[in-house]
Amino acid sequence: MMNAQQIVLASRPKGLPTNDNFRTESITLPGLQNGEVLIKTKYFSVDPYMRGRMNYAKSYTPPYNVNAPIYGGGIGEIIESNSDNFKKGDVVRGNFPWATEVVIDAKPLMKIDTNIAPETYFLGILGMPGLTAYFGLLYIGKPNPMDTVVISGAAGAVGIVVGQIAKLKACRVVGIAGSEQKIKMLKNDFHFDEVINYKTNSDLNKAIKDACPKGVDIYFDNVGGTISDAVIANINFHARIVLCGQIALYNSAETPMGPRLQPILLTRSALMQGFIVGDFQNFFSEGIEQLAQWIKENKLWYKETIIEGFDKLPDAFLGLFSGKNIGKMIVKV
Ligand code: NAP
């Protein structure tokens, strides 16, 4: 019998979540059944989509249950195995309950090869966010050389990869982010052509027009809201709008109203397409291989914000909504 700590959803948030929506508990883990493994969790990914799972609403992933643990992507080390596929000491990625140790079915786990990249990269650039950037930009955005690509949430886990892939495809890349530190990093370290601070810029429409003198060919939208209204006002004929995320709206209690965008889409023969990374599941191995290759060739770089301490999971998650992360937000257990 082993004891562990777990974090549960104590109540469903209304609007922006607070620490009161989470609770830490002590639990006793059950013994291993056939095909199960005991894992010591090492890192957890916190992701904006988790906010949607805190509501009781139909979506592409089921809601979390109140008084039950939050689940999310994680990396852990196997400390006991009752599965033929894994042995003690293996480092794996999986979907884990927020707990310090877990007993879990081994089938969906993926063994990690740390020769390719540091283990945390498998939660970021070589995980769900990297694949989201890869498929959203290449399969929906379909960049051509010299296209102007605008990315909101540009300094985050997905945005930072989108911008670099767009540069590899010889596009002009314009990022939008929320702090001077992020602006400097995107310009100096990631060589974005222009970066706009949406928090200090009082006329975003003009800022985008100035940064994109030839208009916007691809808009990779991670945030939605008024930032997107301003970008979409500047799209070109045959523009592609890749609807990846709408974090600016995730805490809205009511349906927010904005300008009617259909006339712009219509008169510019534009495409706006939403997607979930899982739509591309059959192509994941292609995406991982290509991303790993670019990392190996030093063509892609990554940033992470790693917060230490299992008990910091709620704070790290909440930090996504105030831009506390640069690159991928991760918690080290
Ligand atoms: P992230 O960008 O690493 O973190 C969230 C960032 O959003 C924050 O750092 C903050 O940066 C920005 N933000 C927060 N509230 C905002 C607001 N009200 N207005 C503008 N910006 C705001 O997150 P991520 O994991 O890369 O995800 C980015 C987006 O893609 C999210 O919307 C997520 O839901 C979505 N996503 C979609 C898929 C899919 O399959 N479609 C997969 C992964 C992620 P600033 O400092 O710049 O404000």
Side-chain angles (χ1 to χ4, degrees):
M1 290 285 188
M2 180 181 239
N3 290 330
Q5 297 282 300
Q6 72 173 12
I7 297 175
V8 301
L9 182 67
S11 55
R12 298 205 184 279
K14 295 187 178 69
L16 186 67
T18 67
N19 276 299
D20 291 341
N21 298 121
F22 303 90
R23 189 178 61 244
T24 305
E25 298 177 338
S26 290
I27 50 163
T28 303
L29 294 172
L32 291 191
Q33 302 288 320
N34 245 347
E36 288 186 335
V37 288
L38 171 65
I39 291 175
K40 189 165 182 44
T41 54
K42 297 179 83 178
Y43 296 98
F44 276 102
S45 168
V46 290
D47 294 274
Y49 80 89
M50 296 172 136
R51 175 64 187 86
R53 296 190 69 184
M54 291 172 188
N55 297 336
Y56 188 72
K58 197 172 168 212
S59 185
Y60 59 95
T61 42
Y64 295 128
N65 290 317
V66 175
N67 297 323
I70 311 269
Y71 272 76
I75 304 281
E77 185 178 330
I78 295 191
I79 47 179
E80 199 182 324
S81 174
N82 225 343
S83 153
D84 293 339
N85 298 330
F86 297 96
K87 60 177 191 315
K88 189 172 182 292
D90 283 349
V91 177
V92 293
R93 182 182 67 194
N95 189 39
F96 301 142
W98 279 6
T100 50
E101 284 88 13
V102 299
V103 169
I104 204 162
D105 177 15
K107 252 189 253 101
L109 300 175
M110 190 195 92
K111 200 173 155 185
I112 277 174
D113 181 356
T114 46
N115 292 320
I116 300 176
E119 50 200 8
T120 49
Y121 276 32
F122 292 86
L123 296 175
I125 191 165
L126 290 175
M128 186 271 284
L131 290 169
T132 302
Y134 180 88
F135 290 109
L137 181 68
L138 298 180
Y139 280 56
I140 302 175
K142 298 195 170 101
N144 300 307
M146 309 306 286
D147 275 351
T148 296
V149 180
V150 176
I151 304 153
S152 55
V158 174
I160 224 165
V161 183
V162 176
Q164 292 179 84
I165 299 176
K167 289 300 291 179
L168 288 173
K169 299 290 168 188
C171 298
R172 176 181 164 77
V173 175
V174 177
I176 304 174
S179 77
E180 279 314 303
Q181 191 188 1
K182 292 180 182 183
I183 305 294
K184 272 200 197 109
M185 175 195 76
L186 292 173
K187 272 195 175 161
N188 300 340
D189 302 343
F190 291 95
H191 311 295
F192 280 38
D193 297 283
E194 294 285 345
V195 193
I196 297 166
N197 185 337
Y198 74 91
K199 286 191 179 158
T200 55
N201 217 299
S202 57
D203 188 347
L204 266 185
N205 195 327
K206 179 174 181 307
I208 290 155
K209 204 169 272 157
D210 291 346
C212 309
K214 293 184 179 162
V216 177
D217 299 300
I218 297 176
Y219 174 40
F220 196 104
D221 186 8
N222 283 314
V223 308
T226 51
I227 294 174
S228 297
D229 297 340
V231 180
I232 293 169
N234 287 287
I235 56 170
N236 283 336
F237 195 65
H238 281 163
R240 285 83 70 201
I241 298 161
V242 184
L243 268 188
C244 174
Q246 298 282 290
I247 192 168
L249 310 180
Y250 292 169
N251 293 310
S252 305
E254 285 160 18
T255 305
M257 294 302 289
R260 306 281 178 192
L261 297 172
Q262 288 89 335
I264 307 179
L265 301 178
L266 169 67
T267 53
R268 300 187 199 163
S269 299
L271 170 85
M272 184 190 260
Q273 187 177 329
F275 77 106
I276 303 301
V277 64
D279 299 345
F280 296 96
Q281 203 158 6
N282 293 344
F283 306 99
F284 276 3
S285 53
E286 168 207 311
I288 292 290
E289 247 171 61
Q290 179 61 86
L291 291 163
Q293 181 66 23
W294 279 330
I295 292 172
K296 197 170 145 205
E297 293 168 358
N298 291 331
K299 289 181 176 162
L300 276 190
W301 300 89
Y302 207 46
K303 288 270 179 189
E304 301 170 315
T305 300
I306 300 183
I307 310 252
E308 301 234 356
F310 174 72
D311 57 327
K312 294 290 188 305
L313 269 162
D315 283 338
F317 169 72
L318 299 177
L320 295 171
F321 298 94
S322 51
K324 295 245 163 60
N325 58 310
I326 294 190
K328 179 77 195 104
M329 184 72 114
I330 284 174
V331 173
K332 183 166 188 227
V333 176

